[in-house]
Amino acid sequence: MSTIHKVAFTTTDPAQIEQICAEELSVPLRLISSPDGYYFSLSHTDAGRFSIDVLTTAGISAELRAPDRAEPPESVLFVTGERGLLTYEAEAAGVREQVGPGESVCIAWDNRPSRIDWAGDEPRARGVRVDLALLRDVAAATTGVGNLLFTGTRPVSQAAERHWQETVDHVARTLAGGSGFPVSPLVVGESARFLAAVALATFPNTTMEAVRREVEAPQDLPVTAETVRDAISFIEEHADQDLTVGDIAAAAGVTPRALQLAFRRHLDTTPMAYLRRVRLARVHDELALAGPHDGLTVSAVASKWGFSGSSRFSSYYREAYGEPPSQTLAS
């Protein structure tokens, strides 16, 4: 079951700053200086395959230390500046990035020593760390690219950058929960894949070239109606689980890319859109069968079936059933 781990931490103790960075952020560092005195505030939300952090300091310089054993990186870090100027430099890798307010960068840290210098009036930034395995899963399912590499650090356009930042805001609000009930594992899983998909569409990587080639010369892979039937049966039976395109494709005995093409050809939709339709039907059934004294709420049932944003969910529901979910519950 997916769990969300949250930490809020403020300190002026350099030793504690180093400790919390190592333990909560998995970033071992050595503080070098802080001209205005050491101050560090962290809001950390860990959702398993990704985490979102908001960091505020008094301005610091630090060395990011390499681990004792050189291992391949397990995640990719995306940083958005909110106040001040953050400079990240990895001399051995030939990387130097400066991040100001409203700017986002991708840092695929390769465990070599690096340095950060953070200056300004109470500098603040938001960091999003996404598991590389998750990014690869989403890339393989949507484009067929298995060997994912990020080839640039800056977003492909200002519009893409804004979309990325809005997505992070949306996911952060989703993880904050509310209405007295926890965020469901399905919502966490959907949020993780949504975040990964937008990251792949925002920062230059090898999937973009694959998409361009497919548009120019689409592959006509053999797909059958039986493949779709097998996938639909699996979706119907496991809609309450945190399914990925890879899970559905494996159950149908095809690759994720072939499954995408099969659904497009035979149903004019995608596997995940079909899964959403099934989950909407489950929400509708629960709301329609609820009694006046059952204590059910629309938000609780929607979250149970993987829907987070209330406005987006309501739009999907109204389109499918011609009325708002609240009306179904009240009838």
Side-chain angles (χ1 to χ4, degrees):
M1 181 174 180
S2 299
T3 58
I4 300 174
H5 171 64
K6 297 182 180 181
V7 172
F9 185 87
T10 301
T11 185
T12 57
D13 182 345
Q16 287 188 338
I17 295 174
E18 293 181 351
Q19 180 182 1
I20 199 72
C21 286
E23 294 179 355
E24 295 294 341
L25 304 182
S26 300
V27 178
L29 57 78
R30 182 180 68 84
L31 294 171
I32 299 173
S33 66
S34 182
D36 298 323
Y38 287 103
Y39 172 82
F40 184 86
S41 177
L42 168 69
S43 173
H44 174 64
T45 302
D46 189 332
R49 304 191 78 182
F50 71 96
S51 63
I52 299 178
D53 306 293
V54 178
L55 301 95
T56 307
T57 77
I60 61 171
S61 294
E63 290 180 348
L64 278 64
R65 301 178 305 195
D68 295 334
R69 292 185 302 167
E71 298 178 350
E74 297 180 349
S75 61
V76 179
L77 178 64
F78 305 94
V79 177
T80 298
E82 296 186 356
R83 284 200 303 259
L85 182 66
L86 174 65
T87 302
Y88 170 81
E89 187 167 11
E91 186 175 349
V95 174
R96 187 176 190 273
E97 289 289 346
Q98 288 192 316
V99 188
E103 296 179 336
S104 297
V105 297
C106 164
I107 300 175
W109 187 37
D110 63 0
N111 291 343
R112 284 181 280 190
S114 53
R115 174 184 173 120
I116 58 169
D117 294 285
W118 215 353
D121 183 17
E122 290 192 359
R124 185 173 68 193
R126 174 175 285 181
V128 179
R129 184 183 294 272
V130 183
D131 281 3
L132 189 54
L134 171 62
L135 290 161
R136 285 173 174 159
D137 287 347
V138 172
T142 55
T143 68
V145 173
N147 185 25
L148 171 67
L149 293 173
F150 282 90
T151 56
T153 59
R154 297 282 175 168
V156 294
S157 69
Q158 289 185 341
E161 186 170 45
R162 285 194 301 272
H163 183 46
W164 165 251
Q165 293 169 10
E166 290 167 357
T167 298
V168 174
D169 288 341
H170 168 75
V171 172
R173 290 194 300 270
T174 297
L175 297 187
S179 305
F181 56 88
V183 181
S184 75
L186 291 185
V187 168
V188 174
E190 291 293 333
S191 297
R193 287 185 289 277
F194 180 39
L195 200 63
V198 176
L200 292 172
T202 301
F203 299 93
N205 62 84
T206 47
T207 67
M208 293 180 173
E209 178 64 16
V211 170
R212 185 187 67 78
R213 287 198 303 267
E214 182 171 307
V215 170
E216 293 176 351
Q219 299 295 314
D220 188 18
L221 298 179
V223 292
T224 66
E226 184 179 0
T227 296
V228 177
R229 287 196 296 270
D230 291 343
I232 287 175
S233 295
F234 182 79
I235 289 172
E236 295 279 357
E237 293 175 12
H238 300 87
D240 62 334
Q241 300 175 19
D242 184 20
L243 299 181
T244 66
V245 174
D247 296 330
I248 302 169
V254 296
T255 66
R257 197 70 190 131
L259 183 71
Q260 298 271 15
L261 291 172
F263 268 70
R264 279 296 181 197
R265 172 173 294 181
H266 295 283
L267 298 177
D268 194 27
T269 188
T270 67
M272 300 310 287
Y274 188 88
L275 173 61
R276 182 176 67 228
R277 187 188 311 169
V278 171
R279 288 176 175 166
L280 271 176
R282 304 292 168 85
V283 172
H284 178 266
D285 290 347
E286 288 198 28
L287 295 179
L289 294 173
H293 305 295
D294 289 347
L296 281 183
T297 66
V298 171
S299 296
V301 177
S303 178
K304 171 186 173 181
W305 288 103
F307 298 98
S308 54
S310 58
S311 60
R312 182 178 301 176
F313 162 69
S314 296
S315 176
Y316 289 148
Y317 191 94
R318 185 185 292 272
E319 181 179 352
Y321 297 103
E323 64 181 21
S326 57
Q327 184 174 333
T328 306
L329 179 61
S331 60

